């Protein structure tokens, strides 16, 4: 093997590692949780790495960030994507996600398009994929799905074909995909189907090789470790998050996306 070949590949590896370090997420909290002080500060949004890991790399996002952007994201889902319960559209999770990503990647043009629609189930979202997702040509699609199937008392397993069909359609178009599961909220916990839906979403994400943002797990961790109360995160209707809850989700998701992009960069470097 020639010295020049080794030199070239060493340089590529060094560059890729440098990008991965640039993307590296700040440490996640694994120690004892502190009670949330008054005012709902960001410190109440810490979570464990196990709860937040997306479980799959994001190669297209990684390439866009490594090249200096732009990064285009479509957030599709139902009312908790649209921002029901927030004081204004600027406090929905997609709007806050855009802000948190811009802080993590200064100089990168970031757009997060909110394609949430109140009350929809997966089949209704799938019918508008062409207009609201494909035509937007995103790098990443975050699909929040399953909540209304549970709330309406429908069979979770009837949604499996819809979710798989949607994922395969998105992957065939070349987009990175992240599923977002249910919210940890009183109205959701009252429905016995929520456990089946959580299991189904996790299984489908693993089998289809896409990321999964564990919204349910991180919210539950905040409540059970007394970092935030349920009323800190969820509004009076018992299902939709409030401004603080949406910001916590967006902050956590931004860090998870950052970590997954860094992992993708490292994987690419190791294959060279």
């Amino acid at each position: 093997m020639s010295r020049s070949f080794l030199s070239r590949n060493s340089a590529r590896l060094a560059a890729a590692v440098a990008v991965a370090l640039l993307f590296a997420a700040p440490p996640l909290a694994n120690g004892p949780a502190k009670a949330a002080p008054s005012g709902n500060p960001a410190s109440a949004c810490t979570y464990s790495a196990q709860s937040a890991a997306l479980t799959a790399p994001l190669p297209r996002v990684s390439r866009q960030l490594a090249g200096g952007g732009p990064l285009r994201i479509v957030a599709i889902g139902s009312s908790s994507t649209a921002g029901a319960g927030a004081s204004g559209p600027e406090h929905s999770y997609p709007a806050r996600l855009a802000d948190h990503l811009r802080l993590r990647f200064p100089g990168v043009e970031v757009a997060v398009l909110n394609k949430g629609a109140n009350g929809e189930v997966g089949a209704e979202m799938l019918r508008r994929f062409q207009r609201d997702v494909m035509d937007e040509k995103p790098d990443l699609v975050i699909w929040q799905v399953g909540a209304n199937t549970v709330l309406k008392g429908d069979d979770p397993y009837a949604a499996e074909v819809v979710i798989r069909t949607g994922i395969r359609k998105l992957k065939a178009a070349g987009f990175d995909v992240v599923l977002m599961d249910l919210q940890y909220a009183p109205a959701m916990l009252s429905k016995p189907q929520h456990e089946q839906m959580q299991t189904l979403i996790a299984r489908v994400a693993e089998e289809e090789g896409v990321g999964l943002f564990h919204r349910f797990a991180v919210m539950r961790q905040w409540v059970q470790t007394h970092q935030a109360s349920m009323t800190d995160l969820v509004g009076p209707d018992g299902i939709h998050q409030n401004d603080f809850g949406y910001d916590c989700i967006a902050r956590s998701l931004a860090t998870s996306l950052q970590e997954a992009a860094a992992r993708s960069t490292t994987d690419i470097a190791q294959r060279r």
Side-chain angles (χ1 to χ4, degrees):
M1 186 178 295
S2 70
R3 183 174 300 175
S4 61
F5 177 84
L6 291 172
S7 178
R8 285 196 303 273
N9 281 275
S10 296
R12 288 172 185 157
L13 178 60
V17 171
V19 171
L21 291 173
L22 175 65
F23 293 166
L28 302 178
N30 288 295
K34 298 179 180 179
S38 61
N40 293 334
S43 61
C45 301
T46 55
Y47 50 87
S48 72
Q50 182 177 5
S51 295
L54 290 183
T55 70
L58 301 173
R60 183 160 172 164
V61 170
S62 180
R63 288 194 300 270
Q64 289 300 110
L65 292 173
L71 178 64
R72 190 170 179 83
I73 299 171
V74 164
I76 188 166
S78 56
S79 54
S80 63
T81 295
S87 62
E90 70 276 12
H91 292 290
S92 67
Y93 104 72
R96 298 302 299 132
L97 176 63
D99 290 340
H100 288 301
L101 288 174
R102 290 178 190 126
L103 289 173
R104 284 163 172 75
F105 303 107
V108 174
E109 180 184 342
V110 176
V112 181
L113 308 181
N114 189 336
K115 300 295 183 177
N118 294 347
E120 284 195 345
V121 294
E124 293 169 306
M125 299 173 203
L126 187 58
R127 284 196 288 271
R128 57 188 178 91
F129 263 25
Q130 185 61 51
R131 180 196 67 202
D132 287 349
V133 182
M134 304 298 175
D135 291 350
E136 296 291 353
K137 296 179 172 56
D139 303 298
L140 168 66
V141 180
I142 302 169
W143 190 11
Q144 171 261 309
V145 66
N148 283 319
T149 296
V150 173
L151 293 173
K152 293 176 180 181
D154 296 338
D155 179 8
Y157 293 103
E160 180 172 354
V161 172
V162 170
I163 298 172
R164 287 189 187 274
T165 299
I167 290 172
R168 291 172 185 179
K169 188 176 181 69
L170 297 172
K171 289 177 66 178
F175 310 142
D176 288 344
V177 181
V178 169
L179 294 182
M180 178 184 290
D181 62 13
L182 310 179
Q183 59 267 59
Y184 184 79
M188 190 67 71
L189 295 173
S190 71
K191 302 293 184 179
Q193 298 95 332
H194 81 269
E195 293 183 351
Q196 292 174 295
M197 182 58 81
Q198 285 293 104
T199 300
L200 183 150
I201 292 173
R203 176 169 53 82
V204 170
E206 180 179 8
E207 292 175 357
E208 297 294 334
V210 300
L212 172 60
F213 178 67
H214 302 267
R215 176 171 58 163
F216 189 93
V218 296
M219 291 182 70
R220 179 177 60 194
Q221 184 180 22
W222 294 330
V223 173
Q224 291 184 346
T225 58
H226 307 292
Q227 294 182 87
S229 68
M230 188 72 84
T231 54
D232 286 330
L233 301 168
V234 178
D237 67 358
I239 188 61
H240 295 109
Q241 290 152 265
N242 52 30
D243 289 358
F244 175 67
Y246 282 128
D247 184 70
C248 272
I249 287 297
R251 185 186 303 271
S252 306
L253 179 54
T255 303
S256 298
L257 293 173
Q258 186 180 34
E259 188 276 334
R263 188 168 66 248
S264 298
T265 301
T266 303
D267 289 346
I268 292 170
Q270 291 174 346
R271 288 196 297 269
R272 289 178 176 173

